[in-house]
């Protein structure tokens, strides 16, 4: 594991292998895989990062936008998200958190199929050229986190 304290590792161009559970919170073990391309750039003199992820998996050209902003006094990050599949959500705050011992953990809430769930993002740098992101919902029935989306990033520049 590589020690990371912020999102600087994400600056650059990436090829992304997405793995999404076919059905969330239903004990599914079937994963849907698709690829995407992403480019991340610093903004506001290092107070944040912005990236665009593009994929044709969802039919029309899908574009997702992340903005990650840090409070320089606490090193707490807030991650915002918008995409072309749900433009009515415009730019929404998703999760807040920080890096500890090289792992980024970020928590928030998200509505899925009409119900609010606790949401967790986990970031880890696997090597100088490979990073991983995971999204999980807290399954109250089983009292555990269910990972429902994994992205494996491979540096392409």
């Amino acid at each position: 594991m590589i020690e990371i304290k912020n999102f600087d590792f994400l600056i650059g161009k990436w090829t992304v292998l997405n793995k999404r559970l076919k059905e969330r919170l239903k004990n599914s073990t079937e994963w849907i895989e698709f690829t995407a391309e992403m480019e991340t750039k610093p903004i506001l003199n290092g107070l944040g990062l912005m990236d665009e992820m593009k994929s044709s998996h969802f039919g029309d050209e899908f574009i997702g936008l992340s903005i990650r902003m840090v409070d320089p006094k606490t090193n707490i990050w807030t991650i915002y998200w918008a995409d072309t599949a749900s433009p009515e959500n415009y730019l929404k705050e998703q999760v807040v958190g920080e890096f500890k011992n090289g792992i980024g953990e970020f928590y928030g809430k998200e509505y899925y199929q009409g119900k609010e769930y606790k949401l967790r993002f986990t970031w880890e740098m696997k090597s100088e050229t490979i990073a991983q992101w995971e999204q999980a919902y807290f399954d109250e029935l089983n009292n555990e986190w269910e990972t429902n989306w994994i992205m494996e990033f491979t540096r392409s520049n």
Side-chain angles (χ1 to χ4, degrees):
M1 176 176 50
I2 295 174
E3 179 65 25
I4 53 176
K5 296 180 182 178
N6 60 44
F7 281 105
D8 287 352
F9 70 91
L10 206 51
I11 295 171
K13 294 182 180 181
W14 299 86
T15 298
V16 185
L17 174 59
N18 287 269
K19 299 175 183 180
R20 256 184 29 182
L21 270 184
K22 185 173 182 179
E23 294 184 279
R24 297 177 186 176
L25 302 166
K26 294 185 179 179
N27 296 316
S28 175
T29 58
E30 186 177 349
W31 293 86
I32 298 169
E33 294 187 5
F34 61 96
T35 59
E37 301 297 320
M38 187 179 87
E39 182 172 7
T40 304
K41 299 176 181 178
I43 58 173
L44 301 172
N45 292 326
L47 290 177
L49 297 168
M50 180 180 81
D51 61 55
E52 276 193 339
M53 182 174 301
K54 297 179 181 181
S55 175
S56 59
H57 173 73
F58 298 101
D60 295 335
E61 187 66 25
F62 171 84
I63 301 173
L65 172 77
S66 292
I67 296 177
R68 298 171 184 85
M69 298 297 300
V70 67
D71 179 334
K73 293 177 184 172
T74 63
N75 211 33
I76 301 292
W77 288 83
T78 302
I79 301 176
Y80 302 88
W81 174 257
D83 63 60
T84 55
S86 52
E88 69 279 358
N89 289 332
Y90 49 96
L91 191 62
K92 64 178 181 176
E93 179 181 314
Q94 276 196 308
V95 292
V96 176
E98 63 186 314
F99 288 90
K100 291 182 181 176
N101 301 317
I103 305 287
E105 287 192 350
F106 307 86
Y107 296 91
K109 295 179 181 176
E110 183 166 271
Y111 282 93
Y112 176 69
Q113 296 185 342
K115 184 177 177 190
E116 185 179 76
Y117 291 93
K118 293 177 185 175
L119 173 67
R120 180 183 72 196
F121 287 2
T122 305
W123 277 97
E124 183 177 354
M125 193 72 186
K126 299 286 190 175
S127 74
E128 292 295 328
T129 59
I130 297 173
Q132 184 169 300
W133 169 88
E134 292 186 5
Q135 172 180 283
Y137 289 165
F138 189 74
D139 182 349
E140 292 178 358
L141 291 176
N142 294 316
N143 200 34
E144 64 186 13
W145 290 98
E146 177 191 79
T147 298
N148 57 51
W149 198 322
I150 300 169
M151 290 188 205
E152 296 173 353
F153 296 79
T154 304
R155 191 172 294 284
S156 58
N157 68 334

